[in-house]
Amino acid sequence: MSFENVRWPEIWDATKDTLYMMAASLLFTIILGLMLGIILFLTSRRQLLEQPVVYAVLSFIVNVLRSVPFVILMILIMPVTKMLTGTTLGVEGSIPPLVAAATPFFARLVETSLREVDRGVVEAAQAMGASNWDIVRRVLLKESSPGLLAAVTITAVTLVSYTAMSGVIGGGGLGDLALRYGYQRFQTDVMLVTVALLIVLVQVLQTAGDALVRRYSRK
């Protein structure tokens, strides 16, 4: 294959857009998802701030957002996206739906990681008079750090696939390039290059994430 339809400067620009979308949305997802995941854990049964009603409401919202396919979610929250960014197109218009889709996913992973912390460690911290904030910061987050890093890696990989799907609404990046040229114009060479770059990106993220998990697991 000659790759005669591939415009490498355009491929490079699309790659940078994908990396920007992924990084920006991952940052907001980690901040919001970490807070939501901690609240879910703390308000669940037999935990420090047990609140069945709060947990049930938050859990329901998380489950609803996780149930909506990403393409549909992008369309549903277009008014919110427009209000926040001033546009529903391009890189900026893709970040709010990416965050909305990934945050509940990451929050569940955070909750699961925190549940794996030995309850005895938490009880020992309580016996020594540690405050709830100290327990969260110095015990729960520290003890669950390998699981949290694995959750970040999984979420980052998921966001790569979401950025590709954002091309459906003109979100920019490699997904948009693959859709406009590879699919709509039947330029198979463009499709192959974009898919290959997405695969490489996922492999790099997964390898880096696994390395961090192994490092913190040894501590």
Side-chain angles (χ1 to χ4, degrees):
M1 185 174 290
S2 63
F3 296 98
E4 60 183 12
N5 296 309
V6 177
R7 300 176 179 86
W8 294 107
E10 195 169 3
I11 292 289
W12 172 239
D13 289 340
T15 302
K16 289 190 293 184
D17 286 345
T18 293
L19 291 172
Y20 176 74
M21 282 190 290
M22 196 259 320
S25 57
L26 181 62
L27 175 62
F28 287 113
T29 296
I30 290 174
I31 295 171
L32 298 175
L34 185 61
M35 291 190 296
L36 180 56
I38 291 173
I39 294 172
L40 282 169
F41 172 76
L42 293 177
T43 57
S44 61
R45 186 171 176 269
R46 298 180 59 199
Q47 299 305 331
L48 298 175
L49 304 175
E50 181 178 351
Q51 294 288 337
V53 175
V54 174
Y55 179 81
V57 171
L58 290 177
S59 185
F60 176 77
I61 294 172
V62 167
N63 289 339
V64 168
L65 289 174
R66 290 179 62 197
S67 302
V68 180
F70 179 63
V71 174
I72 297 175
L73 182 63
M74 286 192 296
I75 298 171
L76 287 177
I77 70 169
M78 274 185 173
V80 178
T81 302
K82 179 75 172 180
M83 180 180 66
L84 292 174
T85 65
T87 181
T88 58
L89 301 174
V91 174
E92 291 78 10
S94 297
I95 292 176
L98 287 170
V99 174
T103 296
F105 175 77
F106 181 64
R108 280 298 188 201
L109 295 177
V110 170
E111 182 188 5
T112 301
S113 296
L114 294 177
R115 288 189 186 280
E116 294 175 355
V117 176
D118 187 353
R119 187 170 179 83
V121 179
V122 176
E123 291 174 350
Q126 286 178 304
M128 289 187 292
S131 65
N132 290 340
W133 168 243
D134 285 335
I135 292 174
V136 170
R137 183 167 57 94
R138 297 181 179 177
V139 178
L140 292 173
L141 293 180
K142 183 177 179 180
E143 292 294 321
S144 63
S145 57
L148 293 176
L149 287 171
V152 170
T153 302
I154 294 170
T155 304
V157 171
T158 302
L159 280 169
V160 172
S161 65
Y162 284 171
T163 60
M165 285 187 280
S166 68
V168 173
I169 60 168
L174 293 170
D176 181 56
L177 207 63
L179 181 67
R180 287 190 294 113
Y181 293 95
Y183 177 71
Q184 294 177 349
R185 302 184 187 182
F186 304 102
Q187 295 178 357
T188 307
D189 49 355
V190 176
M191 179 73 78
L192 288 175
V193 169
T194 54
V195 170
L197 288 172
L198 289 171
I199 291 174
V200 170
L201 178 56
V202 167
Q203 293 299 321
V204 169
L205 289 171
Q206 190 66 58
T207 301
D210 290 345
L212 284 174
V213 170
R214 287 194 298 271
R215 178 181 177 184
Y216 278 86
S217 296
R218 290 194 295 266
K219 290 186 177 181

